Amino acid sequence: MVKFFRALIHPRIPALDSHRPDVASVASVIAATLPPSIARLPERTAEFGLLLAAWAEINSGSGHLAGLDRMRAALRAEFGRFTGAQIEEIPCAGTAAALRIRVRPEAATRIVLSGHFDTVYEAADPFQKCRWLDADRLNGPGVADMK
């Protein structure tokens, strides 16, 4: 993780020069060098946990087309909140439609994120509900795999 932040930020930031910097030092350096909207993400951990749990409890097994439709609608609604988001559905033969979401397509620097919104748990599978293992860990269908 530290190597990633060294490459992301700058290799000569003193707080990152030690072999095993403390978490607070790394966090303060990251917060000082990232855009404010990114640096504030940890403040939204609880909000994102609730969103993750809500999404994970939408049964979207690979063969469960109605569930995939519900998951796609949830994604469309959430990403539709982004200013200027352009969302389109792309038909896929034999399965549910895909989503293409574009934000600021005219930007000089663009990033491609790709993922899936199906899970391996079909409509009749008993693994449908999330449960918090502790204050920071959620167990549920899809929580560690794209949802």
Side-chain angles (χ1 to χ4, degrees), residues 59 121-130 141:
N59 181 286
Y121 305 102
E122 295 299 337
D125 195 287
F127 190 41
Q128 301 291 325
K129 294 289 182 186
C130 293

Side-chain angles (χ1 to χ4, degrees), residues 73-142:
L75 292 168
R76 177 185 274 281
E78 193 63 33
F79 285 102
R81 296 176 34 195
F82 287 36
T83 302
Q86 302 169 6
I87 303 174
E88 62 183 299
E89 295 191 10
I90 302 168
C92 297
T95 189
L99 283 178
R100 179 182 296 156
I101 303 164
R102 293 180 177 164
V103 178
R104 299 180 48 218
E106 73 289 344
T109 301
R110 293 174 287 195
I111 299 171
V112 173
L113 300 175
S114 179
H116 63 93
F117 56 92
D118 66 328
T119 66
V120 297
Y121 305 102
E122 295 299 337
D125 195 287
F127 190 41
Q128 301 291 325
K129 294 289 182 186
C130 293
R131 65 186 176 101
W132 289 95
L133 302 176
D134 57 37
D136 299 316
R137 296 182 305 144
L138 179 67
N139 174 259

